[in-house]
């Protein structure tokens, strides 16, 4: 999809001026794969704070960041695996972001590593939630067994899943030490929470013809795409996260670094709901989102350049898909 010519300004204006009702209704009616449905329903029984639309929205979008080297017969499994990886990181994120439960988080992050066993007998951990994380990961592994190159690329998935859980840990530290906030570390650490590397690993497992000689270039591409998705997520969620006392988003860190917000005001945000609304309005008026749209555009141009360097695969659909991902982040603002 290249209707916007990779011009983020035109893309944003098109989303603002267009009627996205049909898209939202189509996503609301979208059916999740059976391997996912029961696990999501179980998650909602003990949590229930996330709009069920989120899961359908994510699964709806997975074809946009699926590489074309995944053959048609494996696309459905690749989508399901990405969905399961997304559920995994969401629950792990909840342990720290929502529950401030370091003990359960510490056990959950062991699950992707076969040499460790998470201890579900410890009294201080959320046992059922931890068992669900184990079940989600086991189901993901079962789906990946159907991939022709699962064994070859599973070590990459483990590594990238660990980077994602480290991103959750970084956000937790940022909440405790707001003076830690800086754009460089936010980019290096927190961006991995969006899981684009893990999703690319899944494509590699399901891509029998991908040449490993292109792996380094592919990973560089994924870094650009991950930052584009991270920016889309920040723009779609930063206002809600301010209300939830989560200050780990790019717009808030940018506001701190640029003097639009100071640490005393950050502390006041924790206790003063009316002040939170005032600050959100002031940051909107200051154009904090425009800063990130400009960054998104630069990442897009670099993604395009890297895609042209791939020797044996066509990544055009992946590049163009990131435009659609941004569109749908904007359309889903307030619901994800």
């Amino acid at each position: 999809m290249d209707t916007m010519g990779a011009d983020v300004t035109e893309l944003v204006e098109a989303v603002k001026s267009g009627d996205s009702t049909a898209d939202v209704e189509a996503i609301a009616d979208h059916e999740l794969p059976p391997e996912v449905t029961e696990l999501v329903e179980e998650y909602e029984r003990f949590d229930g704070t996330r709009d069920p639309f989120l899961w359908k929205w994510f699964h709806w979008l997975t074809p946009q960041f699926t590489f074309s080297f995944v053959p048609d017969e494996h696309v459905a499994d690749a989508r399901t695996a990405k969905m399961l990886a997304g559920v995994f990181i969401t629950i792990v994120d909840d342990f720290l972001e929502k529950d401030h439960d370091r003990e359960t988080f510490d056990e959950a992050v062991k699950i992707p590593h076969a040499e460790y066993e998470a201890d579900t007998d410890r009294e201080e951990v959320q046992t059922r939630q931890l068992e669900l994380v184990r079940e989600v990961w086991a189901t993901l592994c079962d789906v990946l067994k159907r991939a022709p190159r699962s064994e070859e690329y599973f070590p990459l998935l483990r590594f990238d899943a660990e980077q994602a859980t480290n991103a959750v840990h970084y956000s937790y530290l940022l909440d405790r030490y707001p003076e830690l906030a800086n754009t460089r570390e936010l980019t290096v650490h927190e961006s991995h929470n969006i899981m684009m590397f893990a999703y690319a690993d899944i494509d590699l497992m399901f891509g029998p013809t991908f040449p490993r000689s292109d792996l380094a270039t592919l990973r560089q591409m994924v870094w650009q795409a991950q930052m584009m998705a991270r920016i889309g997520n920040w723009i779609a969620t930063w206002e809600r996260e301010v209300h939830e006392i989560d200050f780990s988003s790019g717009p808030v860190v940018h506001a701190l670094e640029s003097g639009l917000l100071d640490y005393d005001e950050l502390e006041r945000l924790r206790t003063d709901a009316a002040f939170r609304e005032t600050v959100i309005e002031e940051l909107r008026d200051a154009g904090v989102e425009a800063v990130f749209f400009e960054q998104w555009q630069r990442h897009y141009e670099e993604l395009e350049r890297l895609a042209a360097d791939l020797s044996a695969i066509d990544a055009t659909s992946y590049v163009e898909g990131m435009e659609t991902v941004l569109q749908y982040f904007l359309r889903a603002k307030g619901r994800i």
Side-chain angles (χ1 to χ4, degrees), residues 10-30:
E10 292 180 12
L11 188 152
V12 172
E13 289 305 315
V15 170
K16 288 181 178 178
S17 62
D19 180 6
S20 61
T21 304
D23 286 330
V24 171
E25 290 177 353
I27 294 171
D29 292 337
H30 182 62

Side-chain angles (χ1 to χ4, degrees), residues 85-86 89-90 92-93 97 160 163-169 171 186 188-196 199 226 230 233 241 246 248:
I89 197 61
T90 298
V92 171
D93 184 82
E97 182 181 316
D160 290 320
Q163 304 318 300
T165 58
N166 282 341
V168 174
H169 192 186
S171 295
L186 196 72
V188 170
H189 301 308
E190 201 269 349
S191 64
H192 285 287
N193 197 7
I194 213 74
M195 292 277 279
M196 291 298 285
Y199 303 144
Q226 179 162 277
R230 179 77 275 177
N233 179 266
E241 289 179 349
D246 179 355
S248 62

Side-chain angles (χ1 to χ4, degrees), residues 225-294:
Q226 179 162 277
M227 286 308 305
M228 292 160 72
R230 179 77 275 177
I231 288 167
N233 179 266
W234 281 337
I235 291 169
T237 63
W238 73 272
E239 297 172 17
R240 170 180 60 78
E241 289 179 349
V242 168
H243 281 299
E244 294 174 352
I245 326 296
D246 179 355
F247 306 135
S248 62
S249 69
V252 172
V253 173
H254 169 75
L256 284 167
E257 287 189 328
S258 60
L260 295 169
L261 193 63
D262 62 36
Y263 294 116
D264 290 337
E265 291 171 321
L266 201 66
E267 287 305 308
R268 184 179 169 189
L269 287 170
R270 297 181 186 277
T271 58
D272 189 335
F275 185 58
R276 290 198 287 271
E277 194 56 59
T278 298
V279 166
I280 288 170
E281 189 65 34
E282 289 176 350
L283 295 186
R284 274 198 222 110
D285 291 343
V288 292
E289 291 186 0
V291 171
F292 290 93
F293 283 129
E294 290 173 4

Side-chain angles (χ1 to χ4, degrees), residues 118-135:
D119 184 359
T120 57
D121 295 327
R122 291 171 56 183
E123 292 183 1
E124 64 269 30
V125 303
Q126 301 178 63
T127 303
R128 178 63 196 111
Q129 290 90 321
L130 196 58
E131 289 175 352
L132 179 59
V133 178
R134 191 197 301 277
E135 191 176 351

Side-chain angles (χ1 to χ4, degrees), residues 5 18 46 49 52 77 79 86 94 100 107 116 128 142 180 207 214 219 239 290 299 301 326:
F46 66 72
T49 60
D77 279 340
R79 291 183 73 183
D94 283 352
H100 305 285
E107 293 301 319
Y116 297 110
R128 178 63 196 111
D142 287 343
L180 199 69
D214 274 338
R219 300 266 303 178
E239 297 172 17
H299 287 297
E301 291 165 0
L326 179 60

